[in-house]
Amino acid sequence: MQQSTYHSQLAQLRDGFVASFGTVPAHVTRAPGRLEILGNHTDYNEGTVLSVAVDRAMFVAIAPADPAGRNCQVVDLRDNSRRDFSLADLSHPRKGDWANYIKGLIVELQQRGIAVPPFSAALLGEVPLSAGMSSSAALEMAMLLALNRLCGIELSWLECAKIGQACENNYVGARTGLLDQFSSLRGKRGCLIYSDFRSYEVSTVPIPAGTAFVVANSMVKHNLSQEYNERRQSCEEAVAALAKIYPGVSALRDVSWEQLLAARQQLAPLPFRRALHVVGEITRVEKGRMALQQGDVEQFGQLLLESQQSSEENFENSCPEIDALVAIGRGLPGHLGARISGGGFGGICVHLVRAEQAGEYLTALQKIYQEQSGRKISAMVCQASDGASYLD
Ligand code: GLA
């Protein structure tokens, strides 16, 4: 994000807070969205992922409120929607409501014995909603840092990530992994982060000079709850069948490509294809990390394309709009690779391009897609940014 945009967002957040609640915020936090660069649906299979935190973030301002009672109020300054709720009554998530990402966190904190005092909060940000850049994890992590300050506690980054995931799993109803929270918390400017979802270790891999990420939003809104959960279930079915053949297998992470192919006849066709995707992705992440270490951006780009092909054929979590955007990208100058990013079923695709051609690439992608489909998409160049932080 440009420094000027960043400062104007902060000023708007503080002004909006004062206008909404008649007092100044006590704490301000920021947490970015993320791009999954390679490693699709591998996190909950205990695999590895290469991702970045993006230069688009959610900001939260918070202050204690209602000292005699238990009432909280939160205003989303993007559309001035407002939610009032009592800390004594958080038991019922409202389907599709953004406040679930806040209430679910409070429930998780309460279950860990942490008393959350009543508060007023304001939100602002520019992570596109329901697009695949994890606006929800950005909101959760910015809110959770704010709650850390409000409650006078200092949860570790890993605990914060797990609380965010628990909020999604238990309150929102999406059985997501830890990728989005890891990326939002541990992002590093100019770097990909390499996360291992078995050991929970995170390290950085510099993004090769002269490359950029063009992100195209298919404008197909995705809803992660149903199809995502079905994919996860298929992966679990595959693990159950593979564990009978290979003792010691407890996750798809444990299965090699060769072992999976050898077990083909013993697996039902659908779990087999889902497992092909995940095991293939874990292999590609390792190859990709090596390619980047050797500065081989062409090979890295090729792996992105293979990942997309596997999403289309094996995991079936792409969509015609994303397939078309990747196909168009392949014909453009500066293209190195492209793939769907995140849960899938719509949302965004990420294109790795030569930096000096990024602007023309972006314009051409939008123009050709509109000519072909009659529909407009939005696209942007994203930089890798630092992870979540306290701003006070
Ligand atoms: C969503 C989930 C993540 C991860 C990705 C797919 O973003 O929230 O946990 O599973 O999909 O890789």
Side-chain angles (χ1 to χ4, degrees):
M1 191 191 294
Q2 302 249 318
Q3 275 304 93
S4 54
T5 322
Y6 177 84
H7 288 300
S8 80
Q9 289 254 310
L10 270 184
Q12 208 187 323
L13 178 68
R14 286 180 203 277
D15 291 351
F17 190 95
V18 174
S20 306
F21 306 119
T23 178
V24 290
H27 311 287
V28 179
T29 60
R30 162 200 157 273
R34 66 100 188 89
L35 288 177
E36 173 203 286
I37 305 297
L38 196 56
N40 188 240
H41 287 257
T42 55
D43 60 349
Y44 58 82
N45 289 297
E46 298 185 21
T48 50
V49 184
L50 287 163
S51 63
V52 297
V54 288
D55 51 341
R56 280 155 180 85
M58 285 298 301
F59 296 85
V60 168
I62 201 165
D66 193 22
R70 305 211 65 192
N71 294 320
C72 298
Q73 54 262 235
V74 185
V75 56
D76 183 345
L77 296 170
R78 289 170 297 185
D79 60 2
N80 284 321
S81 54
R82 181 181 163 127
R83 300 289 183 275
D84 294 77
F85 56 88
S86 163
L87 292 168
D89 179 26
L90 297 171
S91 49
H92 299 295
R94 277 180 30 204
K95 205 172 162 30
D97 187 9
W98 56 260
N100 292 342
Y101 296 105
I102 297 166
K103 294 182 187 172
L105 292 178
I106 300 171
V107 170
E108 292 299 327
L109 289 172
Q110 288 173 341
Q111 281 174 3
R112 286 162 177 76
I114 299 162
V116 177
F119 61 85
S120 303
L123 325 172
L124 188 64
E126 45 174 24
V127 187
L129 294 174
S130 305
M133 283 172 85
S134 254
S135 55
S136 53
L139 168 57
E140 286 156 19
M141 293 303 100
M143 194 67 208
L144 195 49
L145 292 194
L147 292 173
N148 263 281
R149 282 282 199 262
L150 190 79
C151 303
I153 53 170
E154 256 182 71
L155 296 169
S156 71
W157 74 268
L158 185 56
E159 191 62 17
C160 286
K162 287 183 176 174
I163 289 173
Q165 181 196 28
C167 163
E168 302 259 0
N169 292 178
N170 304 333
Y171 205 80
V172 179
R175 295 183 62 211
T176 48
L178 281 161
L179 168 68
D180 309 342
Q181 292 80 9
F182 268 45
S183 310
S184 182
L185 292 169
R186 299 298 305 273
K188 183 108 170 68
R189 194 166 174 200
C191 289
L192 292 159
I193 62 162
Y194 170 78
S195 306
D196 183 326
F197 292 97
R198 175 160 275 171
S199 68
Y200 296 148
E201 276 167 30
V202 179
S203 55
T204 54
V205 185
I207 297 173
T211 57
F213 295 115
V214 169
V215 177
N217 184 347
S218 67
M219 312 307 269
V220 179
K221 291 266 179 206
H222 71 175
N223 165 8
L224 273 194
S225 306
Q226 197 197 333
E227 281 168 302
Y228 185 97
N229 291 351
E230 279 170 21
R231 294 302 183 279
R232 190 160 176 168
Q233 164 110 37
S234 296
C235 291
E236 285 164 1
E237 283 168 32
V239 170
L242 288 160
K244 289 191 189 135
I245 310 166
Y246 305 115
V249 165
S250 63
L252 287 178
R253 166 72 173 268
D254 299 314
V255 185
S256 71
W257 182 252
E258 292 72 25
Q259 283 177 318
L260 179 60
L261 292 185
R264 180 173 206 143
Q265 299 310 325
Q266 282 106 300
L267 263 71
L270 197 63
F272 176 74
R273 279 199 292 131
R274 304 306 190 228
L276 268 187
H277 179 65
V278 172
V279 174
E281 285 293 281
I282 296 173
T283 315
R284 283 185 280 277
V285 170
E286 298 316 310
K287 285 189 191 162
R289 189 157 80 122
M290 280 194 327
L292 288 177
Q293 276 158 1
Q294 291 157 4
D296 190 346
V297 285
E298 278 89 4
Q299 205 213 329
F300 190 67
Q302 198 52 42
L303 291 162
L304 265 58
L305 289 169
E306 286 173 23
S307 167
Q308 170 64 24
Q309 192 182 351
S310 177
S311 270
E312 289 176 22
E313 292 169 5
N314 298 322
F315 216 66
E316 295 174 288
N317 65 332
S318 188
C319 61
E321 292 80 359
I322 299 272
D323 299 352
L325 284 163
V326 172
I328 295 167
R330 293 183 79 150
L332 293 177
H335 170 89
L336 290 162
R339 64 185 283 278
I340 195 160
S341 175
F345 316 106
I348 50 163
C349 53
V350 57
H351 297 237
L352 179 71
V353 304
R354 302 235 178 248
E356 72 271 18
Q357 280 153 309
E360 286 163 45
Y361 186 103
L362 184 149
T363 312
L365 189 63
Q366 286 176 303
K367 183 166 170 281
I368 300 173
Y369 183 79
Q370 192 174 355
E371 281 163 10
Q372 283 185 4
S373 68
R375 288 194 300 272
K376 278 195 173 174
I377 53 144
S378 70
M380 55 191 142
V381 178
C382 280
Q383 312 290 342
S385 84
D386 284 328
S389 52
Y390 297 102
L391 300 177
D392 51 65

